[in-house]
Amino acid sequence: MNKSDKNQGSAGIRLAQELMVDIMGALIPGVLFLFSIVVSGVFPILTFYGLSFNLNQTSTKTTGLEFMQGWFWLVIFLTFLILAYTIGLIFYRSDIKIPDKKGLLKQRKEFINNFCKELKNENFENSNKKLFKYVLNKLIQEIKYLSEFPEDLCENKSKTLERFFGMNTKDFENLIEELKAISDSSSPFLSSELKWKNKILKILFPHSEQDIECSENTIIKEYTTIIEKKLKNFIKKNEKPTKNEKQELTKNEEQKLIKDKEQELIKDVIILYCILDMQCECACATANRCNFPYINYYKYLLKRNEIDLLSEVSWYLPNARSKNKINRYKIFIQTHQPKTYFIITKNESHIRMAASSWYVANTLLPYTIILTILFLTPLIVNLIFNKYNLSIFSEYSIYNSENASSLIAFLFPLFIFFLLIIMKKKIVTFIHYQRLREIYHTLIIYKECPKNNNK
């Protein structure tokens, strides 16, 4: 095969890839939009004002326009197709960030709910010490995921950790030993909490001084509000007594204050664990940081022992996070490995279709609500005028066109409304995961792509 044949083959592959993205990203959401408009709006209007549902009647009338039927429906089909693609392109160009952030918040909500249920099922209410040790051990395990990986997976393990966290292997080992000692201690609350908490904050936010938009205090405050709401029976706010109150404190009240301080420390450990787990599982812990390709993606890779891919991750600094790096990788792959690029295109087309469909559902929901109320009104009026006699609904059948029209007109938009609600909720459950896969596929293909490709 000569060079021109290879170029033609590559051009054909690229055309197929672009068509896949365009069809799934633009055409399908456009068809969905028009289908929902027609079913929830046009059909009910035709049903309510023009169509007869009397099955006993047959029509033998001719209009003299039968010869137009073939090309007429062809024109309608082509118009529908062009309009669907045009409308779909509008949704196609919509920002994926919004459904992506919705998906992240949904995952965070599920994780925190499940974790809080786990704590409640363990029955720690009467033992702050057991609860503290339980959460602390989970935190230790998360830190181990980040630091305890085989040294043969990278050239220099200590330099790799220092690059991302500003802490070398020895720093991580000392921190883990310190936390284990606290967990094994009979008096864990007497430890110097400030030192080890600052070290964990260094892992969570290694470059927080450069992050003006979303500082560590903002994220911790956000999680504090959520955790305090979810664990009301476990955590209470530590209210400082006034001078007069201090003089009146009894011994029991002093013990209560000590217990409140213990609960504050427990709350802090829970918050630190939740933030770190979200960073490792979703590559970001809050919606403010949910910007593709995600600032904490290196933690996502570290937890999964994908150490060889870390050398390609250069957007871990707050001021360096950008899609440009990923786009450069994609362009390189498309140029040198067009056949392999199909894997990335396939995943991207699913993401585009999901995001566009989410925007379609989000746009049409108010429209379907208005139409449902509009076509429900005649049913309610009819019920009122019949003095709330529910037996009138037995007359709503397809053999009684007058009664059937208003009922069927109401059911069309109601059906589309529930369909859009389900679609909108389901899409956000997987769109963030799909974007994480997109980064992973891009990195691994770029890593395996021969850099010195002879054209």
Side-chain angles (χ1 to χ4, degrees):
M1 185 180 289
N2 55 35
K3 189 174 181 180
S4 62
D5 292 336
K6 288 183 179 179
N7 291 335
Q8 288 178 359
S10 299
I13 292 171
R14 289 175 189 175
L15 179 62
Q17 292 168 351
E18 291 173 2
L19 283 174
M20 172 178 281
V21 175
D22 286 343
I23 289 172
M24 295 189 71
L27 185 59
I28 292 178
V31 171
L32 176 63
F33 180 84
L34 290 180
F35 171 79
S36 301
I37 289 285
V38 170
V39 173
S40 62
V42 178
F43 281 5
I45 293 173
L46 292 176
T47 301
F48 197 78
Y49 291 105
L51 296 182
S52 174
F53 285 84
N54 194 334
L55 299 183
N56 296 324
Q57 295 179 358
T58 58
S59 176
T60 58
K61 294 181 181 180
T62 58
T63 61
L65 299 177
E66 288 82 358
F67 67 93
M68 297 174 57
Q69 290 180 356
W71 65 264
F72 176 76
W73 289 112
L74 179 61
V75 171
I76 290 293
F77 172 74
L78 292 176
T79 305
F80 182 87
L81 204 63
I82 294 169
L83 192 59
Y85 183 75
T86 306
I87 294 173
L89 275 178
I90 298 174
F91 293 108
Y92 175 84
R93 292 301 174 188
S94 299
D95 195 355
I96 304 179
K97 281 183 184 178
I98 297 177
D100 189 15
K101 289 180 178 181
K102 296 283 185 182
L104 174 72
L105 293 176
K106 185 176 178 65
Q107 286 183 324
R108 185 179 72 178
K109 182 179 178 181
E110 289 177 355
F111 162 70
I112 292 179
N113 286 343
N114 292 334
F115 180 60
C116 291
K117 285 179 183 178
E118 180 184 338
L119 294 181
K120 291 177 181 178
N121 291 336
E122 293 290 338
N123 296 321
F124 291 124
E125 294 176 350
N126 297 323
S127 177
N128 284 342
K129 189 186 298 184
K130 288 182 179 179
L131 173 59
F132 177 76
K133 289 184 176 182
Y134 181 82
V135 182
L136 186 62
N137 286 329
K138 294 181 79 69
L139 181 60
I140 293 171
Q141 187 60 47
E142 288 295 322
I143 296 172
K144 283 183 177 181
Y145 286 139
L146 300 178
S147 60
E148 295 184 358
F149 54 86
E151 293 192 14
D152 58 342
L153 295 178
C154 62
E155 293 182 2
N156 191 315
K157 180 178 178 180
S158 189
K159 282 186 177 180
T160 300
L161 293 174
E162 198 164 355
R163 176 192 172 201
F164 292 106
F165 299 101
M167 298 169 60
N168 55 33
T169 309
K170 192 66 178 176
D171 294 331
F172 272 96
E173 290 175 354
N174 291 338
L175 175 60
I176 291 172
E177 289 177 5
E178 184 179 350
L179 294 177
K180 281 184 177 179
I182 294 171
S183 178
D184 296 337
S185 172
S186 58
S187 304
F189 298 110
L190 299 179
S191 62
S192 179
E193 60 178 280
L194 189 60
K195 289 183 179 180
W196 60 262
K197 276 177 64 177
N198 286 338
K199 291 177 183 178
I200 295 174
L201 287 173
K202 181 69 174 175
I203 297 174
L204 296 179
F205 314 104
H207 309 285
S208 59
E209 67 278 358
Q210 301 178 28
D211 197 350
I212 301 173
E213 259 182 43
C214 192
S215 65
E216 62 184 65
N217 292 330
T218 306
I219 298 176
I220 290 175
K221 186 177 180 181
E222 183 179 340
Y223 272 78
T224 302
T225 304
I226 298 170
I227 295 300
E228 284 181 347
K229 186 177 179 181
K230 291 292 179 182
L231 294 176
K232 291 180 180 177
N233 297 330
F234 286 82
I235 301 169
K236 298 178 182 178
K237 291 184 178 179
N238 182 22
E239 298 178 358
K240 295 181 180 179
T242 61
K243 291 182 178 179
N244 294 331
E245 288 175 338
K246 281 183 179 179
Q247 296 174 356
E248 299 175 0
L249 282 176
T250 62
K251 188 175 181 180
N252 292 333
E253 288 172 331
E254 288 177 358
Q255 291 176 350
K256 182 180 179 298
L257 281 179
I258 294 173
K259 188 175 182 180
D260 286 345
K261 290 179 180 179
E262 291 176 358
Q263 289 175 329
E264 282 294 316
L265 187 56
I266 293 170
K267 180 187 68 177
D268 291 342
V269 175
I270 291 174
I271 291 167
L272 294 174
Y273 166 71
C274 288
I275 293 174
L276 184 57
D277 189 85
M278 282 296 297
Q279 288 179 345
C280 293
E281 292 296 330
C282 301
C284 46
T286 182
N288 292 334
R289 287 177 180 252
C290 188
N291 296 313
F292 188 86
Y294 314 118
I295 193 172
N296 290 300
Y297 191 76
Y298 64 93
K299 293 177 184 176
Y300 178 86
L301 293 176
L302 279 168
K303 187 170 182 178
R304 289 152 182 81
N305 267 344
E306 298 287 351
I307 311 302
D308 57 322
L309 299 178
L310 290 173
S311 59
E312 313 300 336
V313 177
S314 59
W315 55 85
Y316 57 93
L317 297 172
N319 56 4
R321 190 215 59 79
S322 173
K323 290 191 290 188
N324 292 340
K325 194 68 176 178
I326 286 290
N327 290 334
R328 286 181 63 185
Y329 291 161
K330 288 181 180 179
I331 293 170
F332 184 89
I333 296 168
Q334 189 177 22
T335 305
H336 295 83
Q337 296 284 87
K339 292 183 180 179
T340 314
Y341 186 69
F342 178 77
I343 299 172
I344 300 172
T345 307
K346 182 181 177 182
N347 191 70
E348 187 178 349
S349 62
H350 280 93
I351 294 171
R352 284 290 178 184
M353 184 181 70
S356 302
S357 301
W358 185 89
Y359 276 104
V360 169
N362 194 56
T363 304
L364 289 179
L365 274 174
Y367 163 80
T368 55
I369 293 172
I370 293 171
L371 286 177
T372 302
I373 295 172
L374 183 65
F375 291 111
L376 179 63
T377 304
L379 292 176
I380 297 175
V381 171
N382 194 359
L383 189 63
I384 293 173
F385 275 99
N386 283 275
K387 298 180 179 179
Y388 302 97
N389 184 9
L390 298 179
S391 63
I392 64 169
F393 287 102
S394 62
E395 301 175 3
Y396 283 80
S397 67
I398 58 175
Y399 295 99
N400 190 331
S401 59
E402 183 179 353
N403 290 332
S405 60
S406 57
L407 179 60
I408 295 175
F410 157 68
L411 292 177
F412 277 123
L414 185 64
F415 167 74
I416 295 297
F417 170 75
F418 284 114
L419 180 67
L420 295 176
I421 285 288
I422 294 170
M423 185 173 69
K424 189 178 176 183
K425 286 186 176 181
K426 291 296 180 182
I427 285 173
V428 296
T429 60
F430 63 81
I431 193 167
H432 184 73
Y433 169 72
Q434 288 291 109
R435 300 214 85 189
L436 291 173
R437 286 183 72 225
E438 180 184 353
I439 304 171
Y440 180 76
H441 287 165
T442 304
L443 291 179
I444 198 166
I445 294 172
Y446 178 78
K447 187 76 176 178
E448 298 298 325
C449 192
K451 299 294 189 299
N452 300 319
N453 196 330
N454 296 322
K455 297 185 179 180

